[in-house]
Amino acid sequence: MIMNSKVDIYIASLWRQGHVVNTVNSILLNPEAEKITISCNLYTDEQWGYVNNELRNSKIKLHRTNNEKCSNEKLKYINNGNSPYIALIDDDLIYPSDYLKKLIDGCEKYQGHVSLHGVILNPRPIRSYYHNRIVYRGLGNVNEDVKVDIIGSGTLLFKREWYDDLDEWYDRCSNVSMDDIYVSFFARSKNIPRYVLAHKEGYLKHKEIKKEDYYVFDKYVNNDKVQTDFINIYF
């Protein structure tokens, strides 16, 4: 591990009953957490006031965003930061206090992007991104570290120094929620490997899913032509 193990963290948040507060409080228990930047997508005035009141910490920067590029909004401010590591996290999870250390150790071991979630694609061309793949789940058991094609950005860490174009990432994204694919593409373009790290089910905790919660998977699982075409062209 390098001497400076600080991590800048980026989140794209929908309201989800204000669960982002619980998420951030959990990641702050990781001593490596340095700066946390949150894109608060489509928050009402009341919701915006709530998170500003609950997340009063000098490490936290809140932005009120319009969800123009959906889950890709977590990349909007990714160039703003100075820590050697970058982490992308989801607003519906609770992270353990050794989470960032685990990912930093994996990043140093493999000199690549590391996550607790990712997929290996079937041989290309594929017919469907969501149906032609092997999934290693962040909320399940992964028995050993595995190299993957697409790495999950909800539990992701990599080194800032690997990229000199972070300020371009957001602009290069469409308005289709496919940040996992985009970030994996940016890594692949620089021949940076991607690994899912071994972990036990229960290591990450998920919030109770409410009827009003929006999830990318539910929207695109049977409507993934954009993702599929991107994979077949660039992977």
Side-chain angles (χ1 to χ4, degrees), residues 53-197:
N53 185 65
E54 293 293 322
L55 296 177
R56 294 187 178 187
N57 188 304
S58 60
K59 291 186 174 183
I60 301 171
K61 177 66 175 177
L62 298 170
H63 296 273
R64 199 171 184 181
T65 45
N66 63 8
N67 206 36
E68 178 183 0
K69 294 192 176 184
C70 304
S71 63
N72 304 316
E73 293 291 329
K74 68 178 63 169
L75 305 178
K76 189 169 187 176
Y77 302 102
I78 199 171
N79 194 46
N80 297 347
N82 299 301
S83 296
Y85 298 100
I86 289 172
L88 305 179
I89 70 173
D90 281 344
D91 66 350
D92 54 3
L93 296 176
I94 296 293
Y95 295 86
S97 59
D98 66 343
Y99 168 77
L100 291 177
K101 182 181 184 303
K102 177 181 179 66
L103 266 62
I104 289 170
D105 288 346
C107 181
E108 290 298 324
K109 178 179 180 180
Y110 292 112
Q111 290 299 300
H113 287 219
V114 291
S115 180
L116 301 185
H117 185 93
V119 305
I120 295 176
L121 299 166
N122 288 5
R124 268 74 74 202
I126 57 173
R127 292 179 293 101
S128 166
Y129 170 64
Y130 282 105
H131 296 282
N132 300 147
R133 61 186 190 167
I134 300 169
V135 182
Y136 296 88
R137 302 190 181 281
L139 295 173
N141 285 311
V142 176
N143 294 325
E144 60 184 6
D145 299 348
V146 58
K147 191 174 184 180
V148 296
D149 297 305
I150 307 297
I151 196 155
S153 67
T155 56
L156 175 64
L157 182 138
F158 58 92
K159 289 186 181 181
R160 185 179 291 278
E161 67 181 27
W162 290 337
Y163 299 98
D164 58 5
D165 60 351
L166 291 170
D167 59 328
E168 300 174 8
W169 280 19
Y170 178 78
D171 290 337
R172 294 170 69 184
C173 294
S174 70
N175 60 1
V176 176
S177 292
M178 46 191 277
D179 43 297
D180 291 0
I181 296 174
Y182 282 126
V183 173
S184 298
F185 166 71
F186 297 143
R188 188 176 187 273
S189 298
K190 291 187 177 290
N191 295 314
I192 298 172
R194 286 85 66 201
Y195 283 86
V196 170
L197 303 180

Side-chain angles (χ1 to χ4, degrees), residues 33-44:
E34 181 64 15
K35 181 180 179 182
I36 303 172
T37 301
I38 309 170
S39 296
C40 298
N41 289 327
L42 301 178
Y43 275 40
T44 65

